[in-house]
Amino acid sequence: MTAALQKCAFCVTNLGRLADFNAMAQILLVEDDAGIRAALGLALEDEGYSILQAPNGRTGLSLAATEQPDLVLLDLRLPDISGFEVCREIRQRSNVPIIIVTAQTDTHDLVAGLEAGADDYVTKPVNTKELAARIRAALRRLVRETTGRSPDVTRFADIEVRREAGIVTKAGKELPLTRTEFRLLVEFADHPNMVLSRDQLLERVWGYDYLGDSRLVDAHIRRLRVKIEDSPNDPRYITTARGLGYRFHPDA
């Protein structure tokens, strides 16, 4: 089975229970600290979620493969293999939303986690109400993408965005975009030559506004530029509108 078919299989398997938001979503929590793991598990169970717990990366990978959770909460600092590696391996075979849960506030770790395939992040100590809201937003996005994706193909210069397939190519070669980078590019493509603020992007791409951190947007923009621009430090497609946000130039 190809990677694309495996990802589709995940979506079909889990779509039934995700479509009903009153149903109990299953969350995989990968965290080596037993105290934090127990506290987060109890808090999220109180929010109505079913929790799978993994004390290390290898157990997390095994549970992700066998249980097919609806969402993964992933600590970056694990005792056996790094959270970055866990994130990359899960992302290779699944579109499951991944939220990094970490004590690390360094921008390098944030960018590395997003590049590995994470969709979002929270820092410790975790505000469980905020985390639950981010989880709800991530699950809503997954249902919306699975059931309502447009079949349209968007082209600009040598770049082609195939929405139905979830693929972006440049000069005929597929680009390794993460799910969130793909959603971000589609949002820009839907609003050519318009300035989109960070708040607008947080609301439209991540599904929330007041919970957002502008670093999340900026980090994804940087990674997206690296992948679609010929000169990421002098971008032609996605430019910064100082003090306002970002603008997409399809005819640049």
Side-chain angles (χ1 to χ4, degrees):
M1 182 180 290
T2 66
L5 287 176
Q6 287 175 323
K7 291 182 179 181
C8 288
F10 162 81
C11 292
V12 172
T13 299
N14 288 7
L15 182 58
R17 69 171 179 253
L18 286 179
D20 178 5
F21 281 103
N22 293 321
M24 184 180 291
Q26 188 176 71
I27 296 174
L28 172 59
L29 171 59
V30 186
E31 166 63 61
D32 64 310
D33 187 300
I36 294 176
R37 193 169 65 248
L40 279 179
L42 288 172
L44 292 175
E45 284 176 350
D46 285 344
E47 294 286 341
Y49 298 110
S50 172
I51 307 300
L52 296 168
Q53 296 190 16
N56 54 60
R58 297 193 187 282
T59 302
L61 285 172
S62 177
L63 287 173
T66 60
E67 301 299 325
Q68 295 190 333
D70 300 309
L71 183 140
V72 177
L73 299 180
L74 176 64
D75 186 16
L76 286 180
R77 304 301 176 182
L78 299 170
D80 50 351
I81 56 178
S82 76
F84 302 112
E85 183 176 345
V86 173
C87 188
R88 281 190 291 269
E89 290 196 28
I90 292 176
R91 184 57 72 229
Q92 284 176 2
R93 60 176 181 252
S94 172
N95 277 329
V96 62
I98 300 173
I99 299 177
I100 295 171
V101 183
T102 179
Q104 304 298 317
T105 57
D106 184 84
T107 299
H108 176 271
D109 279 339
L110 168 60
V111 172
L114 298 176
E115 173 64 13
D119 299 283
D120 202 350
Y121 79 102
V122 291
T123 56
K124 301 174 184 175
V126 177
N127 181 314
T128 55
K129 292 295 184 183
E130 175 182 330
L131 177 59
R134 290 181 184 243
I135 290 170
R136 287 193 295 272
L139 295 177
R140 284 195 299 269
R141 289 196 303 270
L142 185 60
V143 172
R144 186 169 63 244
E145 291 169 7
T146 306
T147 59
R149 177 174 288 160
S150 168
D152 295 340
V153 175
T154 301
R155 297 180 180 87
F156 53 96
D158 60 347
I159 295 176
E160 181 175 271
V161 181
R162 304 177 195 170
R163 303 181 188 218
E164 187 173 11
I167 292 173
V168 176
T169 62
K170 182 177 175 66
K173 182 179 179 181
E174 184 175 344
L175 299 178
L177 267 61
T178 65
R179 293 174 61 253
T180 304
E181 289 165 352
F182 178 82
R183 289 197 304 268
L184 189 59
L185 182 57
V186 167
E187 188 63 33
F188 278 122
D190 285 343
H191 299 86
N193 302 307
M194 293 176 57
V195 173
L196 296 178
S197 70
R198 290 172 176 82
D199 287 344
Q200 286 175 313
L201 291 170
L202 282 167
E203 181 177 1
R204 296 174 183 179
V205 177
W206 282 268
Y208 50 75
D209 46 15
Y210 68 93
L211 294 173
D213 182 336
S214 63
R215 292 191 306 166
L216 193 64
V217 176
D218 295 339
H220 274 93
I221 294 290
R222 283 195 298 271
R223 297 311 309 170
L224 184 56
R225 282 172 170 167
V226 166
K227 295 176 181 180
I228 71 169
E229 301 278 2
D230 294 326
S231 301
N233 293 327
D234 184 24
R236 56 185 285 208
Y237 297 122
I238 301 175
T239 61
T240 301
R242 191 172 301 277
L244 297 174
Y246 296 96
R247 180 185 283 112
F248 176 64
H249 307 269
D251 302 318

